[in-house]
Amino acid sequence: MARFAAKHCAFLLLTLSVVSFLVFALNEFSPGAVARKELGAYATQEQVELLTRQLGLDRPLLVRYADYVGKVARGDLGYSARFKAPVTGVIWKHLRNTGLLAALAFACIVPFSMLLGIAAGMRESSRLDRAILIFSTVMASIPEFALGVFLASVFVVWLGWLPGTATLVAGGGWSVGAQLVLPVAVVVLFDSGYVISMIRASMVEVMQRPYIRTAVLKGLPFRAVILRHAVRNAMITPITVILLQINYLVAGVVVVETVFAYPGFGRMMLEAALFKDIALVEAGALVAVSLAVVTNILGDAAYMLLDPRIRA
Amino acid sequence: MTDALLELQDVAITYATRGGEVEAIRRLSLRLEPDEALGLVGESGCGKSTVALSIVRYLGRTGRIARGRILFEGRDLATVGDAELRALRGRRIAMVYQDPMASLNPVMTVGRQLMEVPMIHDGAGADAARRRALAMLGEVKLSDPEAVMDRYPHQLSGGQQQRIVIAMALIAEPALLIMDEPTTGLDVTVEAAVLDLVRELRRRHRSAIVFISHNLGTVARVCDRIGVMYRGELVEDGPVRRIFSDPRHPYTRGLLDCLPTLGRDKRHAPLVPIPGHLESSSSRPSGCGFAARCVHVEPARCTVGPIPLAPIDGDAGHRAACVRAAELPVWSRRRAEAPAAGAAVASTALVATEHLGKLYRPRRGLFGRRRPGVRALSDVDLAAGRRQTLAIVGESGCGKSTLAKVLAGIEVASEGRVSLDGVEIGGLGIDARDRRLKRKLQMVFQNPDSTLNPSHTVGYAIGRALRRLRGGAPADAAAGVARLLEVVKLSPAMAGRRPRQLSGGEKQRVAIARALAGDPDVIVADEPVSALDVSVQAAIVNLLAELQAARGTTLIFISHDLAVVRYLADHVAVMYLGAVAEFGPVERVFAPPWHPYTEALLSAVPVPDPDAVGGRIVLEGAVPRATERPRGCPFATRCPRKVGAVCDDTPPPVQRLADGHRLVCHIPAAELQRLQRMIAGP
């Protein structure tokens, strides 16, 4: 276990250094570009060169990268030009908001998808299976914004039950809880469609395995066959994919955040990129990559937990 | 007559397919008395597994019992309710399956899987269930049951896994045990031990057994009665001795005629394959299903109407479904005239290995520690001359396939030399061999399904081999393909087919034709017939022998089946843990003095003769891991003739006997001969 942890931590550090260097290099490769981005299109060439010198941007790339890494290691991520605040605080605030959305969504996606995926896969091409299959395919194929707009027009415009925006500011008579319902619902429906079909496919395959026949012919009731013998085996393949959904939930829900004006991490990254807020983009990329590596490690660990064959 | 335990009355079973209902079992009746063992034999597709699964009513969503009754202890299994069926399954009727690894849940300890049975059927508590599981593990002779309980299936060997499955079946003391090919895929020594165990447990538990197998030898060892199935019907049944001594149905006779045994070889008693092949059950003629392939057929009588299973006069309990059953000549094992091929003359070696060794060094991971290498071959000295067959036998893991890979250039040797027609090839991977060398040596693999690309036609596959190995214009290729197909006795029209349209035997013929494309001097065949039915196996084995006689090809034949080896080989090498234990001309290796390992292998071969006796040796324990090679004799840990510490500590000497016969053992050959004479009999 210690070796597993050490190996994966080393891998995390390696990935982080490669990604941070790439992002850094892409953003700052040409010395003039950073100052130009900072000062905008109407600054004169002299102003650009002055700032370049002031920021030390005329030094070689590797020197500046080393400088940057040193700052990051001390916890200094720079100053956000877009939000006019230290990057650390900006990221932390948006990450917390997104964390709330992601945690709620993930807590719904996993049981919901497992329930439907297993129910569908345990009797292939039964009526229940076909119904669930149609549902999940439809959900996975409707784009998020269409689903968001559709749910908003029903529950906000037509029924008036829920607010159309989720700014997380308890104003306008809507509680934060009510504001969260629609974004979470859209993310859950969209993402479950995909996860359900993964679990269903794995379950269908497991149900054809000889050990399921062994369990049935032992005289076990169908329920026990499913719960004791099928489910754990059926979760081995999808578990890594399920954990990878965390990445999507944190860094990929840009569309839903935009539709509902949700102040989350994805939208922050989009704005930072559009605004050429280099410090924020670089820091955001580091956070997203760390998260991706950590979920990968979690996926490996869960995989080992479920399948004794790879524990050795 | 007492009440039968199990009775099938006119049962028909159909499967719904896209093309409509297909009859898998046409009309089948059989009876099984309490504590009787019935063997069901037949080739793949004959419906024997369907019969087994219908008894536990597990036919999938598409299968159904279309007609007839399946009575178990007086109740009709076709109509009992679900709850009642569950109470019977596992409690009164238990099953043992072909592939034990796949039949056990990989993520559950075997202990829990065993305990489940008493817990669901007898409402036993966890402690009581555990005690019963432990007792049962002792009965199936697994050492250290406590430790085994906490293992996962993948931590056990194939033989241990099958013992677990057997323990799981017997733990509830069922009245009926169904065994579906329980030893297929196990090594011959493991198979012998499992069959012995089944015989012993049967006496103790008094369960009736339905034993399904394609192997007449294993059935003979376990069963009282045999039913022979062909195309969804029972064509003959009777007491096991009667079936083997006086088979009445031409199909049964055909099966026995094409079965290689330890006493047959290609020069003295050629195998006689059954002509034609099993047709699909949809195009079933009226009358006898076997008529199209039968040498005794009389169309006027055989194909006009259904032929019932009729008792044979003066032979109680023996029935055959053949109108000519009473008039067929007396059967004796066929000994056809020897083919013209001359006896193997010792010639200079075409392929030879000297001190060949292969060490697999595990790759070091980024952060991994270095693990010790695995020695797959050590100090292998073998030679095969032109027009000769060198067979390599041994249990799985003995290094026989590694040897084939080194010869073919898939792996390169780490020590020693390999010469092919005077050229050193041990260090040459396949990419380092030029076209001339590649042409000289070609390979045929075990499973033709996975070696033929499903999206290419037969003609393309063979044509490509022709172009790669011979060069030449594509226009010549078509003629070349047709010629090669003819050589392997397939119609040239097959060139347009794809692998899925071919039977297993046809696919293996295509694979052989492809190997012949370069007109090789040497063909390395790695278990080429182990995946085939016996009648098909006989035809392929004969084909290989004929090709060899006609073309002078050297054949390196790798097999775990000693009977096939005895039949086909001129020289035999018996391998154990990567080393050669015994090598020599086939008659010498198969006669005393044997290496103790050869002796054990030979005595483990299931003989299709219920009266076969002899001092049988059952090997205990498993082959040591290649990483834990014993210091002395590799076989010392399992050897029944071990003489003492010298076996553990000192590598045994090579004893050279007459005719190039070599034996690697501490016991002097003369002493081995004396010991083995006593049990070998005539």
Side-chain angles (χ1 to χ4, degrees), chain B residues 229-255:
Chain B
M229 291 189 64
Y230 189 75
R231 297 183 78 177
E233 282 177 318
L234 211 52
V235 294
E236 180 162 7
D237 74 348
V240 61
R241 285 198 171 71
R242 300 302 302 156
I243 299 284
F244 281 104
S245 62
D246 187 19
R248 281 290 159 173
H249 197 281
Y251 177 64
T252 315
R253 294 180 171 202
L255 276 182

mmCIF file of all heavy atoms in Angstrom, chain B residues 229-255:
data_model
loop_
_atom_site.group_PDB
_atom_site.id
_atom_site.type_symbol
_atom_site.label_atom_id
_atom_site.label_comp_id
_atom_site.label_asym_id
_atom_site.label_seq_id
_atom_site.Cartn_x
_atom_site.Cartn_y
_atom_site.Cartn_z
ATOM 1 N N MET B 229 -24.596 -39.839 -27.984
ATOM 2 C CA MET B 229 -25.529 -38.922 -28.625
ATOM 3 C C MET B 229 -25.008 -38.474 -29.971
ATOM 4 O O MET B 229 -23.812 -38.270 -30.169
ATOM 5 C CB MET B 229 -25.762 -37.695 -27.742
ATOM 6 C CG MET B 229 -26.540 -38.019 -26.492
ATOM 7 S SD MET B 229 -27.013 -36.529 -25.608
ATOM 8 C CE MET B 229 -28.115 -35.769 -26.804
ATOM 9 N N TYR B 230 -25.937 -38.311 -30.903
ATOM 10 C CA TYR B 230 -25.601 -37.756 -32.202
ATOM 11 C C TYR B 230 -26.771 -36.916 -32.675
ATOM 12 O O TYR B 230 -27.902 -37.383 -32.709
ATOM 13 C CB TYR B 230 -25.303 -38.880 -33.211
ATOM 14 C CG TYR B 230 -24.750 -38.368 -34.510
ATOM 15 C CD1 TYR B 230 -23.435 -37.929 -34.597
ATOM 16 C CD2 TYR B 230 -25.556 -38.291 -35.651
ATOM 17 C CE1 TYR B 230 -22.934 -37.428 -35.791
ATOM 18 C CE2 TYR B 230 -25.059 -37.797 -36.838
ATOM 19 C CZ TYR B 230 -23.747 -37.363 -36.905
ATOM 20 O OH TYR B 230 -23.253 -36.865 -38.089
ATOM 21 N N ARG B 231 -26.508 -35.683 -33.008
ATOM 22 C CA ARG B 231 -27.512 -34.757 -33.519
ATOM 23 C C ARG B 231 -28.797 -34.748 -32.693
ATOM 24 O O ARG B 231 -29.895 -34.890 -33.212
ATOM 25 C CB ARG B 231 -27.853 -35.069 -34.970
ATOM 26 C CG ARG B 231 -26.658 -34.898 -35.870
ATOM 27 C CD ARG B 231 -26.984 -35.122 -37.295
ATOM 28 N NE ARG B 231 -27.654 -33.962 -37.888
ATOM 29 C CZ ARG B 231 -27.989 -33.895 -39.168
ATOM 30 N NH1 ARG B 231 -27.753 -34.912 -39.962
ATOM 31 N NH2 ARG B 231 -28.562 -32.837 -39.648
ATOM 32 N N GLY B 232 -28.648 -34.594 -31.397
ATOM 33 C CA GLY B 232 -29.821 -34.405 -30.561
ATOM 34 C C GLY B 232 -30.589 -35.666 -30.254
ATOM 35 O O GLY B 232 -31.721 -35.600 -29.768
ATOM 36 N N GLU B 233 -29.999 -36.812 -30.548
ATOM 37 C CA GLU B 233 -30.670 -38.058 -30.209
ATOM 38 C C GLU B 233 -29.684 -39.010 -29.545
ATOM 39 O O GLU B 233 -28.479 -38.943 -29.794
ATOM 40 C CB GLU B 233 -31.205 -38.736 -31.476
ATOM 41 C CG GLU B 233 -32.465 -38.124 -31.983
ATOM 42 C CD GLU B 233 -32.905 -38.786 -33.281
ATOM 43 O OE1 GLU B 233 -32.051 -39.062 -34.143
ATOM 44 O OE2 GLU B 233 -34.104 -39.031 -33.413
ATOM 45 N N LEU B 234 -30.248 -39.899 -28.743
ATOM 46 C CA LEU B 234 -29.436 -40.963 -28.191
ATOM 47 C C LEU B 234 -29.375 -42.040 -29.271
ATOM 48 O O LEU B 234 -30.412 -42.525 -29.724
ATOM 49 C CB LEU B 234 -30.133 -41.481 -26.936
ATOM 50 C CG LEU B 234 -29.312 -42.030 -25.791
ATOM 51 C CD1 LEU B 234 -28.230 -41.053 -25.387
ATOM 52 C CD2 LEU B 234 -30.231 -42.309 -24.618
ATOM 53 N N VAL B 235 -28.183 -42.385 -29.753
ATOM 54 C CA VAL B 235 -28.128 -43.405 -30.795
ATOM 55 C C VAL B 235 -27.795 -44.779 -30.216
ATOM 56 O O VAL B 235 -28.049 -45.802 -30.841
ATOM 57 C CB VAL B 235 -27.136 -43.055 -31.925
ATOM 58 C CG1 VAL B 235 -27.608 -41.826 -32.680
ATOM 59 C CG2 VAL B 235 -25.741 -42.860 -31.385
ATOM 60 N N GLU B 236 -27.212 -44.798 -29.021
ATOM 61 C CA GLU B 236 -26.920 -46.090 -28.411
ATOM 62 C C GLU B 236 -26.748 -45.880 -26.922
ATOM 63 O O GLU B 236 -26.206 -44.863 -26.487
ATOM 64 C CB GLU B 236 -25.620 -46.671 -28.992
ATOM 65 C CG GLU B 236 -25.228 -48.022 -28.411
ATOM 66 C CD GLU B 236 -24.213 -48.772 -29.269
ATOM 67 O OE1 GLU B 236 -23.714 -48.207 -30.237
ATOM 68 O OE2 GLU B 236 -23.926 -49.944 -28.945
ATOM 69 N N ASP B 237 -27.252 -46.803 -26.124
ATOM 70 C CA ASP B 237 -26.885 -46.756 -24.714
ATOM 71 C C ASP B 237 -26.796 -48.159 -24.152
ATOM 72 O O ASP B 237 -27.344 -49.103 -24.725
ATOM 73 C CB ASP B 237 -27.810 -45.846 -23.888
ATOM 74 C CG ASP B 237 -29.181 -46.447 -23.646
ATOM 75 O OD1 ASP B 237 -29.517 -47.458 -24.284
ATOM 76 O OD2 ASP B 237 -29.926 -45.904 -22.816
ATOM 77 N N GLY B 238 -26.078 -48.305 -23.066
ATOM 78 C CA GLY B 238 -25.915 -49.629 -22.496
ATOM 79 C C GLY B 238 -24.843 -49.607 -21.435
ATOM 80 O O GLY B 238 -24.216 -48.575 -21.195
ATOM 81 N N PRO B 239 -24.626 -50.763 -20.793
ATOM 82 C CA PRO B 239 -23.571 -50.848 -19.775
ATOM 83 C C PRO B 239 -22.227 -50.525 -20.415
ATOM 84 O O PRO B 239 -21.992 -50.862 -21.571
ATOM 85 C CB PRO B 239 -23.615 -52.318 -19.333
ATOM 86 C CG PRO B 239 -24.940 -52.825 -19.782
ATOM 87 C CD PRO B 239 -25.326 -52.043 -20.983
ATOM 88 N N VAL B 240 -21.377 -49.883 -19.649
ATOM 89 C CA VAL B 240 -20.142 -49.371 -20.204
ATOM 90 C C VAL B 240 -19.310 -50.469 -20.878
ATOM 91 O O VAL B 240 -18.757 -50.286 -21.955
ATOM 92 C CB VAL B 240 -19.352 -48.588 -19.119
ATOM 93 C CG1 VAL B 240 -18.982 -49.446 -17.955
ATOM 94 C CG2 VAL B 240 -18.143 -47.923 -19.696
ATOM 95 N N ARG B 241 -19.266 -51.641 -20.299
ATOM 96 C CA ARG B 241 -18.457 -52.720 -20.886
ATOM 97 C C ARG B 241 -19.000 -53.156 -22.246
ATOM 98 O O ARG B 241 -18.258 -53.445 -23.162
ATOM 99 C CB ARG B 241 -18.417 -53.926 -19.955
ATOM 100 C CG ARG B 241 -17.512 -53.686 -18.788
ATOM 101 C CD ARG B 241 -17.093 -54.948 -18.075
ATOM 102 N NE ARG B 241 -16.055 -54.591 -17.122
ATOM 103 C CZ ARG B 241 -16.306 -53.888 -16.024
ATOM 104 N NH1 ARG B 241 -17.530 -53.474 -15.749
ATOM 105 N NH2 ARG B 241 -15.324 -53.559 -15.209
ATOM 106 N N ARG B 242 -20.342 -53.202 -22.347
ATOM 107 C CA ARG B 242 -20.946 -53.637 -23.605
ATOM 108 C C ARG B 242 -20.665 -52.612 -24.711
ATOM 109 O O ARG B 242 -20.410 -52.971 -25.845
ATOM 110 C CB ARG B 242 -22.460 -53.838 -23.449
ATOM 111 C CG ARG B 242 -22.855 -54.873 -22.432
ATOM 112 C CD ARG B 242 -22.259 -56.231 -22.750
ATOM 113 N NE ARG B 242 -22.661 -56.691 -24.091
ATOM 114 C CZ ARG B 242 -21.970 -57.562 -24.818
ATOM 115 N NH1 ARG B 242 -20.838 -58.063 -24.354
ATOM 116 N NH2 ARG B 242 -22.405 -57.932 -25.999
ATOM 117 N N ILE B 243 -20.738 -51.337 -24.353
ATOM 118 C CA ILE B 243 -20.519 -50.298 -25.365
ATOM 119 C C ILE B 243 -19.093 -50.390 -25.906
ATOM 120 O O ILE B 243 -18.860 -50.258 -27.098
ATOM 121 C CB ILE B 243 -20.766 -48.891 -24.771
ATOM 122 C CG1 ILE B 243 -22.201 -48.747 -24.292
ATOM 123 C CG2 ILE B 243 -20.404 -47.798 -25.781
ATOM 124 C CD1 ILE B 243 -23.226 -48.551 -25.358
ATOM 125 N N PHE B 244 -18.149 -50.647 -25.023
ATOM 126 C CA PHE B 244 -16.768 -50.683 -25.489
ATOM 127 C C PHE B 244 -16.404 -52.003 -26.161
ATOM 128 O O PHE B 244 -15.533 -52.033 -27.028
ATOM 129 C CB PHE B 244 -15.799 -50.405 -24.332
ATOM 130 C CG PHE B 244 -15.690 -48.947 -24.008
ATOM 131 C CD1 PHE B 244 -16.316 -48.410 -22.903
ATOM 132 C CD2 PHE B 244 -14.984 -48.093 -24.838
ATOM 133 C CE1 PHE B 244 -16.229 -47.064 -22.616
ATOM 134 C CE2 PHE B 244 -14.893 -46.739 -24.573
ATOM 135 C CZ PHE B 244 -15.517 -46.227 -23.448
ATOM 136 N N SER B 245 -17.067 -53.093 -25.757
ATOM 137 C CA SER B 245 -16.665 -54.369 -26.353
ATOM 138 C C SER B 245 -17.525 -54.722 -27.565
ATOM 139 O O SER B 245 -17.055 -55.362 -28.490
ATOM 140 C CB SER B 245 -16.744 -55.488 -25.310
ATOM 141 O OG SER B 245 -18.081 -55.613 -24.876
ATOM 142 N N ASP B 246 -18.781 -54.287 -27.572
ATOM 143 C CA ASP B 246 -19.648 -54.660 -28.679
ATOM 144 C C ASP B 246 -20.531 -53.483 -29.093
ATOM 145 O O ASP B 246 -21.753 -53.530 -28.960
ATOM 146 C CB ASP B 246 -20.527 -55.860 -28.256
ATOM 147 C CG ASP B 246 -21.330 -56.398 -29.428
ATOM 148 O OD1 ASP B 246 -20.959 -56.116 -30.587
ATOM 149 O OD2 ASP B 246 -22.346 -57.061 -29.176
ATOM 150 N N PRO B 247 -19.923 -52.405 -29.576
ATOM 151 C CA PRO B 247 -20.737 -51.252 -29.985
ATOM 152 C C PRO B 247 -21.617 -51.658 -31.159
ATOM 153 O O PRO B 247 -21.164 -52.357 -32.060
ATOM 154 C CB PRO B 247 -19.691 -50.210 -30.382
ATOM 155 C CG PRO B 247 -18.478 -50.980 -30.734
ATOM 156 C CD PRO B 247 -18.490 -52.197 -29.858
ATOM 157 N N ARG B 248 -22.865 -51.216 -31.129
ATOM 158 C CA ARG B 248 -23.801 -51.649 -32.156
ATOM 159 C C ARG B 248 -24.163 -50.559 -33.144
ATOM 160 O O ARG B 248 -24.682 -50.833 -34.210
ATOM 161 C CB ARG B 248 -25.086 -52.167 -31.471
ATOM 162 C CG ARG B 248 -24.927 -53.559 -30.929
ATOM 163 C CD ARG B 248 -24.831 -54.497 -32.085
ATOM 164 N NE ARG B 248 -24.200 -55.753 -31.719
ATOM 165 C CZ ARG B 248 -24.144 -56.778 -32.573
ATOM 166 N NH1 ARG B 248 -24.670 -56.678 -33.772
ATOM 167 N NH2 ARG B 248 -23.547 -57.884 -32.211
ATOM 168 N N HIS B 249 -23.964 -49.319 -32.747
ATOM 169 C CA HIS B 249 -24.296 -48.256 -33.689
ATOM 170 C C HIS B 249 -23.043 -47.858 -34.463
ATOM 171 O O HIS B 249 -21.972 -47.725 -33.876
ATOM 172 C CB HIS B 249 -24.864 -47.035 -32.949
ATOM 173 C CG HIS B 249 -25.579 -46.094 -33.869
ATOM 174 N ND1 HIS B 249 -24.902 -45.209 -34.669
ATOM 175 C CD2 HIS B 249 -26.895 -45.922 -34.139
ATOM 176 C CE1 HIS B 249 -25.790 -44.514 -35.386
ATOM 177 N NE2 HIS B 249 -27.000 -44.925 -35.079
ATOM 178 N N PRO B 250 -23.179 -47.688 -35.788
ATOM 179 C CA PRO B 250 -21.988 -47.348 -36.579
ATOM 180 C C PRO B 250 -21.303 -46.067 -36.081
ATOM 181 O O PRO B 250 -20.084 -45.932 -36.202
ATOM 182 C CB PRO B 250 -22.545 -47.136 -37.993
ATOM 183 C CG PRO B 250 -23.804 -47.929 -38.021
ATOM 184 C CD PRO B 250 -24.364 -47.887 -36.636
ATOM 185 N N TYR B 251 -22.064 -45.138 -35.497
ATOM 186 C CA TYR B 251 -21.428 -43.910 -35.017
ATOM 187 C C TYR B 251 -20.539 -44.204 -33.818
ATOM 188 O O TYR B 251 -19.421 -43.703 -33.717
ATOM 189 C CB TYR B 251 -22.495 -42.865 -34.663
ATOM 190 C CG TYR B 251 -21.892 -41.592 -34.100
ATOM 191 C CD1 TYR B 251 -21.065 -40.791 -34.877
ATOM 192 C CD2 TYR B 251 -22.141 -41.201 -32.785
ATOM 193 C CE1 TYR B 251 -20.498 -39.645 -34.371
ATOM 194 C CE2 TYR B 251 -21.568 -40.046 -32.267
ATOM 195 C CZ TYR B 251 -20.748 -39.276 -33.072
ATOM 196 O OH TYR B 251 -20.180 -38.140 -32.561
ATOM 197 N N THR B 252 -21.021 -45.048 -32.899
ATOM 198 C CA THR B 252 -20.201 -45.426 -31.756
ATOM 199 C C THR B 252 -18.922 -46.098 -32.236
ATOM 200 O O THR B 252 -17.821 -45.828 -31.742
ATOM 201 C CB THR B 252 -20.979 -46.401 -30.855
ATOM 202 O OG1 THR B 252 -22.299 -45.912 -30.690
ATOM 203 C CG2 THR B 252 -20.315 -46.548 -29.513
ATOM 204 N N ARG B 253 -19.095 -46.970 -33.219
ATOM 205 C CA ARG B 253 -17.910 -47.648 -33.764
ATOM 206 C C ARG B 253 -16.941 -46.648 -34.370
ATOM 207 O O ARG B 253 -15.729 -46.745 -34.200
ATOM 208 C CB ARG B 253 -18.344 -48.655 -34.830
ATOM 209 C CG ARG B 253 -19.152 -49.779 -34.238
ATOM 210 C CD ARG B 253 -19.574 -50.779 -35.282
ATOM 211 N NE ARG B 253 -20.161 -51.933 -34.610
ATOM 212 C CZ ARG B 253 -20.249 -53.151 -35.148
ATOM 213 N NH1 ARG B 253 -19.790 -53.351 -36.360
ATOM 214 N NH2 ARG B 253 -20.773 -54.139 -34.482
ATOM 215 N N GLY B 254 -17.516 -45.666 -35.086
ATOM 216 C CA GLY B 254 -16.682 -44.638 -35.704
ATOM 217 C C GLY B 254 -15.897 -43.876 -34.651
ATOM 218 O O GLY B 254 -14.708 -43.614 -34.815
ATOM 219 N N LEU B 255 -16.570 -43.537 -33.540
ATOM 220 C CA LEU B 255 -15.896 -42.791 -32.476
ATOM 221 C C LEU B 255 -14.736 -43.595 -31.920
ATOM 222 O O LEU B 255 -13.651 -43.074 -31.683
ATOM 223 C CB LEU B 255 -16.872 -42.498 -31.335
ATOM 224 C CG LEU B 255 -17.781 -41.290 -31.455
ATOM 225 C CD1 LEU B 255 -18.628 -41.157 -30.208
ATOM 226 C CD2 LEU B 255 -16.987 -40.024 -31.694
#
